[in-house]
Amino acid sequence: MRLRHSARGLVVDDQSRLLLYRFIAPGGGLTVWCPPGGGLEGDETPPEALARELDGGDRLA
């Protein structure tokens, strides 16, 4: 297995709700809940990676 470094952040709104993403394995097997974030790219630091992940991608309605 290849080790991949990542950065994750806890995002809490003014009503103390925690933002999590749900990932479901193909075929409906394992379900995993994760905070937003992602893998580090190149030589970026964990704070830089987290800022990039939180700035782009999905938007909440």
Side-chain angles (χ1 to χ4, degrees):
M1 178 175 17
R2 182 176 160 257
L3 178 64
R4 181 176 182 206
H5 295 278
S6 65
R8 301 254 171 221
L10 298 180
V11 179
V12 181
D13 70 8
D14 59 355
Q15 296 179 31
S16 297
R17 296 178 295 186
L18 180 63
L19 176 64
L20 296 172
Y21 289 97
R22 183 172 77 167
F23 298 96
I24 302 172
L30 178 69
T31 298
V32 177
W33 291 88
C34 296
L40 276 61
E41 294 182 0
D43 62 351
E44 71 184 349
T45 65
E48 291 168 339
L50 184 57
R52 175 180 45 77
E53 290 288 336
L54 293 176
D55 186 47
D58 297 334
R59 297 287 186 223
L60 301 177

